Amino acid sequence: MEAVILELAKLFPRFVDIDGDLLRHNVEARYILKRAADYVESLEYHTKDGTDTNEEEIRYLIQALVDINWERIHTGHFSNVSLPVRKIYALGCYFKISSPEQREKCNAILDEAQLLGCTDDWNELKTSLMKHLDDDLYLNDVTSLPILPVVKRCSHRCDIPQIDAPSLNEFRTLCYEPHQPTLLLNTMNHWPAMDKWRNLNYLLKVAGNRTVPIEIGSNYASEEWSQQLVKIRDFLHRQFNGEDEAKEIEYLAQHELFAQIPDLKADICLPDYCTVRSDDSATDVDIKAWLGPAGTISPMHYDPKHNLLCQVFGSKQIILASPKDTEKLYPHQSEFLGNTSQIDAAKLDLQTYPLAESVQFYELFLQPGDCLYMPPKWWHYVQAKTPSFSVSFWWE
């Protein structure tokens, strides 16, 4: 566990901090994590005398713990995986991280801990490991990415109400309670992201070494669509290098990027509108990232939660439809796509889907600084007209 552990040992959890409810009914994990935690603690205080120093055996046990919990995570649907399994998996990954000479391998392990495990209890350790492992990464990436220009606001069709920086009470009475889709203006101009993220080299520096799920293809409902785990730096270079060559569209979509990269989360602010009810809190809000080139499409679909879609840079065409028109929108019959329409909202095929002719569609154009409120189960089609970065906030 060598140099990286020696430097970061103070941040690793002590066994007393992870014992208790998490390990009470898992004797195997309790034994392995105790040995690993005791070993790391011995490194910090340089007191190996009397402490288990069989590093090779500890590595073997930790790998076995990671493997068995990886199998548990991949058995059945991910949403049914218990929190203790994901936490134990994350802890095992942390204790696997070894010397900086194997930096790429350590980064891959760290990403596995974040993507599959639950790391919420060890955010300080996670952030410190990322900074340590990413040191000098940006300096070694000599290919510069563009800085996107500030775009002058344009006048576009908007079929829903627009409100300039509404108060919380105005949002409650005009939008939230009547379930009225609304375009909220000038509500996120104070976000550091509004300036920082246009410089794609900043995103490269802060997030480039992280591995994220990327959608391949412009539309997740198409047969050609697929997903891959990709380094953000590779994704940025392929999709935002400023070259006009034909390339396959890739989309970082609906990903909890800000839990994975705390430095990016510091560039945004939780809108007060997400806590419009007295019993709402920041912990109840799911924050998702949507980053991609021009041409990405989210087909007509609905979400079960309240949704604030905030546009940081770029522009998107949005088409909305009310839940009352659900049957006329021809939802897919499969469970996976049950919340997704079969129609192309931007190019209606009324011969194949005749009921869509009587649907009331609402069109608008989302521009930098705009925030679109969509009530639960409102259908929406989204197409990026330029390179785009959006942040969505979902709450019950």
Side-chain angles (χ1 to χ4, degrees):
M1 298 188 182
E2 302 165 359
V4 64
I5 301 298
L6 287 172
E7 292 183 25
L8 301 169
K10 291 182 179 180
L11 295 175
F12 272 74
R14 300 294 180 263
F15 181 71
V16 68
D17 298 324
I18 59 179
D19 197 14
D21 291 342
L22 178 61
L23 303 177
R24 180 169 291 121
H25 303 295
N26 193 327
V27 176
E28 175 187 66
R30 189 175 189 276
Y31 170 75
I32 295 173
L33 290 174
K34 184 177 190 309
R35 287 190 62 179
D38 288 349
Y39 178 73
V40 171
E41 187 172 5
S42 77
L43 291 178
E44 179 189 349
Y45 294 106
H46 306 286
T47 56
K48 293 188 177 182
D49 294 341
T51 304
D52 188 347
T53 58
N54 192 338
E55 180 178 339
E56 184 176 351
E57 182 181 357
I58 292 174
R59 287 186 181 281
Y60 175 82
L61 291 171
I62 283 292
Q63 184 61 57
L65 183 67
V66 168
D67 289 344
I68 193 170
N69 283 282
W70 188 94
E71 292 289 345
R72 289 166 179 163
I73 289 171
H74 286 83
T75 301
H77 197 281
F78 184 74
S79 62
N80 295 326
V81 179
S82 70
L83 201 57
V85 167
R86 293 180 59 209
K87 286 186 175 183
I88 291 171
Y89 177 81
L91 281 168
C93 287
Y94 284 153
F95 283 114
K96 267 183 66 177
I97 291 176
S98 56
S99 65
E101 286 77 15
Q102 303 177 28
R103 193 165 291 192
E104 282 295 324
K105 180 179 179 181
C106 292
N107 268 304
I109 294 170
L110 180 59
D111 286 328
E112 287 177 9
Q114 296 182 88
L115 292 172
L116 297 178
C118 178
T119 62
D120 294 347
D121 293 343
W122 308 286
N123 281 328
E124 186 180 2
L125 172 60
K126 174 178 69 177
T127 302
S128 297
L129 284 172
M130 281 195 296
K131 289 181 178 178
H132 181 92
L133 295 172
D134 291 350
D135 187 33
D136 296 332
L137 167 72
Y138 178 65
L139 297 177
N140 295 329
D141 196 330
V142 296
T143 307
S144 180
L145 290 168
I147 300 175
L148 303 178
V150 176
V151 179
K152 184 178 180 181
R153 188 174 185 83
C154 299
S155 177
H156 288 277
R157 170 181 175 180
C158 185
D159 296 337
I160 62 173
Q162 303 180 62
I163 306 178
D164 190 0
S167 67
L168 188 60
N169 188 56
E170 288 173 327
F171 174 77
R172 179 186 295 109
T173 57
L174 298 176
C175 311
Y176 180 82
E177 291 178 347
H179 279 210
Q180 171 61 58
T182 308
L183 187 62
L184 311 178
L185 309 177
N186 298 312
T187 62
M188 47 184 288
N189 295 336
H190 60 292
W191 285 16
M194 297 299 294
D195 290 321
K196 286 185 174 182
W197 292 2
R198 287 188 299 102
N199 185 347
L200 299 180
N201 298 290
Y202 170 76
L203 297 181
L204 180 65
K205 181 178 181 180
V206 172
N209 212 34
R210 300 277 58 80
T211 299
V212 294
I214 296 293
E215 298 183 1
I216 312 298
S218 63
N219 182 335
Y220 71 76
S222 69
E223 293 183 359
E224 296 78 19
W225 179 88
S226 64
Q227 279 187 310
Q228 292 181 4
L229 290 176
V230 174
K231 291 282 188 183
I232 289 181
R233 65 169 180 256
D234 298 329
F235 165 68
L236 290 174
H237 282 304
R238 284 199 296 264
Q239 298 296 315
F240 299 93
N241 60 11
E243 299 176 4
D244 295 329
E245 63 186 32
K247 53 194 173 188
E248 192 169 32
I249 289 179
E250 300 175 342
Y251 196 14
L252 196 168
Q254 196 174 321
H255 179 53
E256 294 185 354
L257 185 68
F258 308 105
Q260 188 176 1
I261 307 173
D263 283 351
L264 285 182
K265 187 175 183 180
D267 293 336
I268 64 175
C269 302
L270 181 76
D272 290 341
Y273 309 124
C274 297
T275 56
V276 63
R277 298 184 327 195
S278 59
D279 57 339
D280 285 333
S281 69
T283 57
D284 300 320
V285 181
D286 299 324
I287 309 175
K288 309 285 187 179
W290 310 79
L291 173 62
T296 59
I297 293 173
S298 293
M300 182 69 79
H301 69 286
Y302 70 82
D303 301 309
K305 299 181 179 182
H306 294 272
N307 186 353
L308 283 174
L309 181 62
C310 301
Q311 192 68 13
V312 177
F313 66 70
S315 58
K316 289 182 170 178
Q317 176 193 11
I318 313 278
I319 302 174
L320 303 175
S322 169
K324 70 181 182 181
D325 286 324
T326 293
E327 295 305 317
K328 302 174 186 177
L329 292 171
Y330 299 88
H332 283 271
Q333 297 304 306
S334 69
E335 181 180 358
F336 175 68
L337 293 174
N339 69 330
T340 303
S341 170
Q342 299 179 60
I343 72 168
D344 181 348
K347 190 178 180 180
L348 293 178
D349 179 358
L350 297 179
Q351 284 191 328
T352 306
Y353 307 110
L355 296 180
E357 185 173 17
S358 62
V359 174
Q360 173 67 59
F361 292 104
Y362 305 84
E363 296 188 27
L364 64 134
F365 207 72
L366 200 64
Q367 302 183 67
D370 289 350
C371 180
L372 172 62
Y373 167 66
M374 291 177 283
K377 297 191 175 181
W378 266 79
W379 293 84
H380 48 287
Y381 166 96
V382 184
Q383 181 177 12
K385 294 300 186 181
T386 67
S388 171
F389 201 150
S390 311
V391 181
S392 62
F393 300 86
W394 294 349
W395 76 101
E396 293 286 359

